[in-house]
Amino acid sequence: MRGLCRVLTYMELQQPPRQPEGCLTVAIRIPVRIVVLVLVVPIRLVWDAVTATARAVHRTALRPLGRALAWLGRTLIVVPLTYLGRGLAWVGRVLVVTPLAWLWRYGVAVPAAWLYRRLLTPLGHGIAWVARGVRRVVAAVGSAVGWVVSGVWAGIAWLGSGMGIGLGWAGARVWAGLRWIGRGIGVVLSVIGTALVRVGLILFVVPVGWFYRWVLTPIGHAVAVVAREVAAAFGHAWRIAGHVSRAVGRRLKWLGRQLVGRPVRWVWRTLCAPVLHWVRDTLWAPAARAAAVAGRAPLSRAPGPGQRGRGAGGDPWFDPWESGP
């Protein structure tokens, strides 16, 4: 408990200065942060362990597996399908596209051009000449009908203007009476509405305002303070749990190196490497040289990256025991 209090005090000192806060905030801050820290630290340890394991699995297993699957897919599927598609495209161009193009040109395009030039063009000129004649006749008839309609419309307009003057005078008188009546009704409704508004203010608005100001506002401030402190406590606890998780991880890494890594390295360097080097120098190299001399294998070949030996003169053959763990 003392250690947790020290950690929380250190985190408080690291934070920027805040504005003066109330007694409620100061009273709930430390207990809430202690409880949240106790709850969050195990979750952060499990989370860091899971993420570290996932990264290791991705780096050591999933990435090489994905590269191998990509190479197999490219070699077994993409390349054969590419050559197959090129072959099918050539066959389709030779057996389908070229014959269809020839058939379209000499079976459809050339006859259609001849038909358009020899038949449709003269027919279109004749239809255009007939349409121009019909248009002239329709224009003459339309002008005559328009002259008659304009005369009839002028008479109707003269009669309508007289009737409009009479109806306008009567409507003005009726509208003046209706407006006077509407003003009276508006005054009555205004008085009634003012009375209802005042009654509503007295019976509803004033009590609701008092309840909001003296009851809901203090409760809302208290809830906001508690929520803000809980959120800040989760943030502090997550950062502290991260420091704890990194410290535990470093200790576990050091322990694994001391208990597993160093013994395995010592066994490899002391026992396995000398035996494998003896097998390489005594059995593997003479057998390879004998096979090269007999013609069953090439005499020499350029070593690839990472295949240069440590022996004098550089053995060109691949050395599977050269690198240790």
Side-chain angles (χ1 to χ4, degrees):
M1 185 63 69
R2 184 179 300 173
L4 291 178
C5 292
R6 290 180 179 177
V7 172
L8 292 175
T9 305
Y10 173 74
M11 296 301 292
E12 285 289 336
L13 294 176
Q14 296 298 322
Q15 295 296 324
R18 297 180 178 178
Q19 298 295 329
E21 298 172 339
C23 58
L24 178 62
T25 303
V26 178
I28 68 173
R29 177 174 297 165
I30 298 300
V32 168
R33 290 190 177 182
I34 291 174
V35 173
V36 172
L37 180 62
V38 173
L39 295 176
V40 170
V41 168
I43 298 174
R44 181 61 186 267
L45 291 175
V46 174
W47 173 259
D48 289 342
V50 171
T51 54
T53 304
R55 284 195 297 268
V57 171
H58 177 266
R59 185 174 57 254
T60 58
L62 297 181
R63 187 183 300 171
L65 180 61
R67 291 176 179 175
L69 292 177
W71 181 85
L72 287 176
R74 185 172 59 253
T75 304
L76 300 179
I77 298 176
V78 176
V79 174
L81 289 180
T82 301
Y83 286 104
L84 179 61
R86 292 178 181 175
L88 292 177
W90 182 84
V91 172
R93 185 171 61 252
V94 172
L95 298 181
V96 178
V97 176
T98 302
L100 288 179
W102 184 89
L103 182 62
W104 170 261
R105 180 177 180 181
Y106 293 101
V108 177
V110 173
W114 181 87
L115 180 65
Y116 174 79
R117 187 171 57 253
R118 298 298 181 182
L119 180 62
L120 295 181
T121 301
L123 181 62
H125 288 305
I127 293 174
W129 181 81
V130 173
R132 285 195 297 270
V134 172
R135 185 183 62 182
R136 291 173 183 174
V137 173
V138 171
V141 174
S143 63
V145 173
W147 183 80
V148 174
V149 170
S150 62
V152 175
W153 180 254
I156 294 173
W158 183 79
L159 293 176
S161 62
M163 295 177 63
I165 293 172
L167 292 176
W169 181 83
R173 295 295 180 268
V174 173
W175 177 253
L178 293 175
R179 186 171 58 183
W180 184 82
I181 295 172
R183 287 180 181 178
I185 294 174
V187 171
V188 174
L189 293 177
S190 175
V191 173
I192 296 174
T194 304
L196 292 176
V197 168
R198 291 182 179 179
V199 172
L201 287 174
I202 295 173
L203 295 180
F204 298 101
V205 177
V206 174
V208 169
W210 180 88
F211 182 76
Y212 175 79
R213 182 180 299 126
W214 298 104
V215 178
L216 295 181
T217 300
I219 294 176
H221 285 308
V223 172
V225 168
V226 172
R228 185 176 65 248
E229 291 302 324
V230 170
F234 270 102
H236 285 286
W238 189 257
R239 290 190 291 272
I240 294 171
H243 290 291
V244 174
S245 175
R246 285 191 290 271
V248 172
R250 286 194 296 269
R251 293 301 179 184
L252 291 176
K253 184 177 179 181
W254 178 85
L255 186 62
R257 187 185 298 114
Q258 297 297 325
L259 296 180
V260 179
R262 294 185 64 179
V264 170
R265 188 176 182 182
W266 180 85
V267 169
W268 175 263
R269 289 186 174 181
T270 306
L271 299 178
C272 297
V275 173
L276 295 176
H277 289 167
W278 179 83
V279 171
R280 181 196 61 187
D281 298 335
T282 306
L283 300 177
W284 179 262
R289 294 191 186 95
V293 172
R296 291 190 299 269
L299 183 59
S300 63
R301 62 180 178 182
Q307 296 180 358
R308 294 180 176 86
R310 291 183 298 179
D315 190 0
W317 295 94
F318 173 68
D319 187 2
W321 304 295
E322 183 64 29
S323 59

